[in-house]
Amino acid sequence: MDKTFEKKALRERLLRERLHLPDRMARLDALQEIMRIWLVGRPDTVIGAYWPIKGEFDPLPALHRWKEDGELMDEPQRRRIGLPVVNKVHKTLTFHAWYPGCPMEEDAYGIPKPKDTEVVVPTLLFVPCVGYGPGGHRLGYGGGFYDRTLATLQPPPFTVGLGFTNGFIDDFEPEPHDQPLDAILNDNGVVWPVGPRGL
């Protein structure tokens, strides 16, 4: 079977499953908690994330909490959250500052993006996973936006995939252009890197 067709069928199956998870709320709560704990002690002050679509996990509540926590430290930190804006010509992403209540507008794909906020450069980037496999490889929507963006960002950010346990594909074969992630979190904890604590 053609590899592209195989990937497309796998993507469609995982998206369908994700939208119909019977214990979805419990999984969302678990991953919010795991993400918040994972962020404790990270040195980053600018984190890139995404606006959730198609049943994706929403990282923004945990990140808003992280941002607020920075302001409560002994030495307060100004922490920033960035959401992606698509460059239609180069098909890459830049990240623009986001905060709750921030003015939003739809991008060319109908996904909300911050309106007229400044560009930020994340040192840590949370990436949505339709699926993921051994070695930190991710299955996305097939547009290649993250792979192209990660290939050009200097210095490269630390990349963390977010997904649910049903998205794990044990025999997933990455393609040459696929950029492996530095870490993957799901509703059970840290999936990658594989280690005593996964950190």
Side-chain angles (χ1 to χ4, degrees):
M1 192 189 286
D2 177 83
K3 258 218 164 122
T4 310
F5 183 79
E6 265 182 32
K7 257 187 160 177
K8 186 171 183 285
L10 176 61
R11 190 178 286 117
E12 284 171 4
R13 176 176 67 79
L14 291 172
L15 284 170
R16 232 180 2 259
E17 282 178 15
R18 185 168 77 187
L19 285 166
H20 297 97
L21 290 167
D23 53 351
R24 182 177 181 76
M25 292 313 292
R27 287 174 186 252
L28 291 169
D29 289 347
L31 188 43
Q32 287 287 342
E33 188 69 18
I34 286 158
M35 188 178 157
R36 279 182 23 212
I37 291 166
W38 188 87
L39 280 167
V40 172
R42 283 288 313 179
D44 312 274
T45 56
V46 181
I47 294 180
Y50 56 90
W51 188 273
I53 58 168
K54 300 181 182 178
E56 287 171 345
F57 168 75
D58 183 354
L60 298 175
L63 284 176
H64 180 52
R65 181 77 170 268
W66 163 83
K67 185 176 182 297
E68 286 185 324
D69 288 348
E71 289 152 21
L72 300 172
M73 290 178 151
D74 291 340
E75 294 177 31
Q77 275 188 346
R78 182 161 190 238
R79 294 176 169 181
R80 323 223 30 222
I81 301 163
L83 289 184
V85 173
V86 175
N87 178 315
K88 285 188 285 193
V89 178
H90 301 293
K91 299 223 180 315
T92 54
L93 307 169
T94 53
F95 290 83
H96 290 242
W98 173 87
Y99 50 87
C102 162
M104 303 288 281
E105 62 186 355
E106 287 191 352
D107 69 11
Y109 300 92
I111 301 168
K113 65 175 184 178
K115 185 174 192 269
D116 303 327
T117 63
E118 69 272 34
V119 172
V120 295
V121 181
T123 56
L124 170 63
L125 182 57
F126 283 107
V127 182
C129 296
V130 175
Y132 52 91
H137 289 284
R138 121 186 219 276
L139 175 69
Y141 294 105
F145 289 101
Y146 280 100
D147 288 320
R148 278 190 294 274
T149 301
L150 293 173
T152 59
L153 284 177
Q154 289 302 323
F158 189 89
T159 54
V160 185
L162 295 171
F164 298 112
T165 48
N166 73 296
F168 181 71
I169 311 150
D170 57 0
D171 58 351
F172 183 63
E173 289 180 30
E175 293 180 58
H177 62 268
D178 287 338
Q179 300 273 332
L181 300 167
D182 295 305
I184 297 175
L185 310 180
N186 72 15
D187 43 301
N188 271 351
V190 178
V191 188
W192 174 259
V194 178
R197 286 166 32 103
L199 297 174

